[in-house]
């Protein structure tokens, strides 16, 4: 392994980063201007354009063998590598270039796809999730190659185009390109930091199961005055079904759901309980209105509820828009439910239990149909050992603060399949988001000071991992 000039190379790369931050920020802004929504109903040509722009950014950074990988009917992946350190470890750097839809335009203080800097933050869809995360690693690689002409280890980039819609075709992609993905470490750019200025390593993700439910009572809408009262109201019945899924203590009233919910280990509970907690800060950052209270299972701490317990949310509700509505009893109403799963739950089985609960006793004889429309697995690991120690040192060097060891309530479908493919290669989950970034909401933003710290941490990370002994799994 070649490490003789690592310290000098790190200093050179850090110096290059500091003197080229504005250039990297402009490049990020160019990527953010591309409305690369992977969700159905949005132009797939924009996701293709985003892939092409990402590939060009990798080429300019000095990454080699850059190409756009296509599977028929699937949003494009971008691949590139630098493999000129024989005998050194290989890092697979993962991120995604697709983004969430912007939501309500009137709620943005500046247009979603016009990156705008305000008070040290860059606003725009994708700034934090995940174009900023991808660019942190692109910048670190570019800094090494521009200042030293080489990297301390080998790297591969995989930038996905359908992460925001659940990585639905990931299994198909892996089956076709598994040899290309061979690596000793996986580093993700798509998780968050514990707080602004405080880095984090994420060691557990919840999974997800999506269920669509419809309630129908009538063949057609009818006059609410002529028929209201005795005629069943599909909207009220649907709302009642959803409300009935939660017990008084905050747990979910879905028989059988908790049979396979794993208990956190003593070490995990100790990590969680060691983290600072402020309810006032949490509610403020969540945007909760004054007077609203926290929900979920009250017998568990909030971090336990977020990271180790199932949760159910309503992410869409369809009946009749207020604009254009009239005095009618509507014939049908629909909702999309998002069920977060935890170790050792099976997402499809959890979905079947939820479907059975919703459809087993239809109120007033209503026609209730429900089906599982998508799943992604949970993931967890033991965050100990040389790779995690190296990552903690790198984050401390980049941020000047110790890294928090955290779970995440969200889902990244990529992690578990790749960890399995690479036979237990350490997965290091980092990112550039902070609690104030509003990912998936209006006014998403990136803290530019933390972004530079994340770039600097990435420089240290490649150096640190280059000296970690690896077991050859290929």
């Amino acid at each position: 392994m070649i490490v003789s000039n690592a310290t000098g190379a790190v200093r050179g790369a850090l110096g290059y980063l500091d003197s080229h931050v504005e250039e990297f920020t402009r490049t990020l802004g160019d990527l953010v201007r591309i409305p690369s929504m992977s969700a159905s109903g949005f132009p797939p040509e924009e996701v293709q354009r985003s892939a092409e722009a990402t590939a060009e950014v990798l080429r300019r950074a000095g990454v080699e063998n850059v190409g756009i990988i296509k599977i028929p009917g699937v949003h494009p992946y971008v691949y590139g590598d630098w493999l000129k350190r024989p005998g050194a470890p290989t890092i697979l750097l993962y991120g995604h270039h697709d983004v969430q839809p912007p939501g309500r335009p009137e709620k943005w203080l500046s247009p979603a796809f016009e990156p705008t800097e305000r008070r040290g933050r860059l606003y725009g869809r994708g700034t934090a999730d995940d174009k900023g995360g991808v660019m942190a690693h692109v910048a670190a690689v570019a800094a090494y190659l521009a200042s030293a002409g080489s990297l301390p280890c080998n790297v591969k980039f995989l930038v996905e185009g359908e992460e925001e819609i659940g990585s639905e075709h990931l299994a198909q992609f892996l089956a076709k390109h598994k040899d290309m993905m061979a690596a000793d470490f996986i580093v993700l750019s798509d998780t968050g930091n514990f707080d602004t200025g405080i880095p984090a390593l994420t060691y557990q993700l919840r999974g997800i199961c999506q269920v669509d439910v419809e309630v129908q009572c009538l063949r057609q809408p009818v006059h609410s005055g002529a028929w209201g009262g005795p005629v069943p109201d599909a909207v009220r019945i649907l709302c009642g079904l959803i409300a009935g899924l939660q017990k008084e203590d905050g747990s979910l009233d879905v028989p059988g759901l908790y049979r396979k919910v794993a208990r956190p280990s003593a070490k995990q509970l100790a990590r969680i309980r060691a983290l600072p907690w402020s309810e006032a800060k949490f509610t403020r950052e969540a945007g909760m209105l004054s007077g609203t209270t926290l929900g979920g299972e009250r017998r568990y701490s909030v971090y336990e509820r977020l990271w180790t317990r199932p949760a159910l949310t309503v992410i869409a509700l369809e009946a009749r828009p207020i604009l254009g509505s009239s005095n009618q009893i509507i014939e049908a109403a629909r909702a999309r439910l998002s069920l977060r799963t935890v170790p050792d739950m099976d997402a499809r089985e959890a979905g079947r239990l939820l479907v059975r609960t919703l459809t087993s006793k239809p109120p007033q004889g209503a026609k209730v149909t429900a089906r599982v429309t998508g799943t992604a697995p949970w993931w967890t690991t033991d965050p100990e050992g040389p790779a995690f120690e190296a990552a903690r040192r790198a984050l401390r060097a980049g941020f000047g603060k110790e890294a928090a060891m955290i779970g995440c309530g969200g889902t990244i479908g990529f992690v578990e399949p790749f960890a399995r493919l690479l036979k237990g290669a350490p997965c290091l989950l980092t990112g550039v988001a902070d609690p104030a970034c509003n990912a998936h909401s209006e006014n998403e933003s990136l803290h530019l000071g933390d972004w530079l710290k994340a770039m600097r941490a990435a420089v240290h990370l490649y150096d640190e991992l280059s000296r970690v002994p690896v077991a050859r799994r290929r």
Side-chain angles (χ1 to χ4, degrees):
M1 191 178 299
I2 306 171
V3 296
S4 59
N5 129 15
T7 302
V10 169
R11 283 200 302 265
L14 293 175
Y16 187 91
L17 279 177
D18 291 342
S19 61
H20 289 77
V21 172
E22 290 186 5
E23 177 186 332
F24 292 129
T25 305
R26 285 194 299 272
T27 301
L28 174 59
D30 290 341
L31 294 176
V32 170
R33 287 186 181 91
I34 302 173
S36 52
M37 287 91 71
S38 53
S40 61
F42 295 96
E45 297 81 9
E46 295 292 1
V47 188
Q48 175 68 29
R49 187 159 71 94
S50 174
E52 292 167 355
T54 301
E56 181 56 31
V57 167
L58 288 174
R59 291 188 191 99
R60 291 204 307 265
V63 178
E64 300 177 346
N65 302 311
V66 176
I68 295 174
I69 303 175
K70 294 184 179 179
I71 296 173
V74 180
H75 291 303
Y77 293 73
V78 181
Y79 174 83
D81 60 38
W82 189 93
L83 304 174
K84 293 185 174 180
R85 282 283 186 179
T90 297
I91 305 173
L92 176 62
L93 301 169
Y94 167 84
H96 62 90
H97 65 93
D98 65 320
V99 298
Q100 283 283 321
R104 300 161 294 181
E106 70 276 10
K107 295 292 185 180
W108 283 84
L109 299 178
S110 51
F113 297 105
E114 291 182 19
T116 305
E117 186 175 344
R118 295 194 298 273
R119 297 183 295 279
R121 302 189 75 97
L122 185 67
Y123 287 79
R125 177 61 86 222
T127 51
D129 184 19
D130 179 39
K131 293 177 180 180
V134 171
M135 272 303 301
H137 285 286
V138 173
V141 167
Y144 265 118
L145 295 178
S147 60
S150 65
L151 293 165
C153 56
N154 302 298
V155 300
K156 297 178 177 181
F157 278 91
L158 183 67
V159 189
E160 189 185 350
E162 61 168 10
E163 193 277 340
E164 294 292 10
I165 53 173
S167 303
E168 181 182 355
H169 298 90
L170 182 61
Q172 185 179 351
F173 174 86
L174 289 179
K176 189 172 182 180
H177 299 288
K178 63 180 181 180
D179 292 339
M180 184 187 292
M181 297 297 104
D184 301 296
F185 308 106
I186 305 171
V187 174
L188 281 87
S189 64
D190 195 24
T191 51
N193 290 317
F194 181 68
D195 203 348
T196 307
I198 301 178
L201 274 173
T202 298
Y203 61 88
Q204 183 160 303
L205 303 166
R206 287 194 291 195
I208 192 170
C209 174
Q210 183 173 282
V211 171
D212 288 357
V213 56
E214 180 178 72
V215 174
Q216 183 174 3
C217 298
L218 303 170
R219 287 188 295 273
Q220 74 286 319
V222 297
H223 193 288
S224 62
W227 302 98
V231 170
D233 181 343
V235 181
R236 291 183 60 193
I237 290 172
L238 175 62
C239 292
L241 280 172
I242 295 172
L245 293 172
Q246 187 165 15
K247 295 180 181 178
E248 195 63 34
D249 64 1
S251 63
L252 297 176
D253 194 2
V254 179
L257 187 72
Y258 290 93
R259 277 202 302 263
K260 293 186 178 179
V261 171
R263 292 172 180 253
S265 68
K267 281 187 177 181
Q268 185 177 3
L269 287 175
R271 291 188 199 104
I272 291 173
R273 290 166 184 170
L275 295 170
W277 163 252
S278 164
E279 183 170 331
K281 184 174 184 294
F282 181 87
T283 56
R284 182 177 66 252
E285 289 174 342
M288 292 173 59
L289 296 181
S290 177
T292 56
T293 58
L294 297 172
E297 298 175 86
R298 290 184 292 276
R299 59 182 287 209
Y300 299 97
S301 71
V302 169
Y303 290 142
E304 287 175 86
R305 291 178 230 176
L306 280 173
W307 303 337
T308 73
R309 304 297 295 173
L312 184 71
T313 52
V314 182
I315 62 172
L317 190 64
E318 292 181 346
R320 180 65 53 82
I322 291 176
L323 184 64
S325 63
S326 62
N327 286 318
Q328 293 179 329
I329 302 173
I330 300 168
E331 77 278 15
R334 292 156 295 283
R336 175 162 287 176
L337 309 181
S338 177
L339 174 63
R340 298 289 177 169
T341 60
V342 298
D344 294 312
M345 297 174 71
D346 177 272
R348 287 224 158 254
E349 175 60 21
R352 285 191 289 270
L353 293 172
L354 178 55
V355 166
R356 187 173 67 189
T357 301
L358 289 165
T359 59
S360 60
K361 295 178 180 178
Q364 293 183 255
K367 180 183 177 183
V368 180
T369 56
R371 63 189 182 96
V372 175
T373 54
T375 64
W378 52 265
W379 170 82
T380 189
T381 191
D382 181 4
E384 297 187 2
F388 290 94
E389 292 167 8
R392 285 194 286 269
R393 289 193 297 269
L395 290 168
R396 182 172 61 243
F399 281 78
K401 297 280 182 68
E402 292 291 337
M405 306 301 291
I406 65 173
C408 176
T411 306
I412 305 176
F414 164 95
V415 183
E416 193 274 339
F418 265 79
R420 189 167 9 96
L421 175 75
L422 298 181
K423 299 182 174 65
C427 295
L428 306 172
L429 276 60
T430 64
V432 298
D434 63 354
C437 76
N438 270 6
H440 288 216
S441 186
E442 291 91 6
N443 299 302
E444 178 181 343
S445 68
L446 172 69
H447 189 285
L448 291 173
D450 276 7
W451 190 49
L452 176 58
K453 292 174 183 177
M455 295 181 203
R456 294 173 66 87
V459 166
H460 287 285
L461 180 63
Y462 307 157
D463 174 60
E464 289 282 357
L465 290 179
S466 74
R467 289 176 272 119
V468 173
V470 296
R472 296 300 169 191
R473 304 176 180 86
R474 296 171 221 171

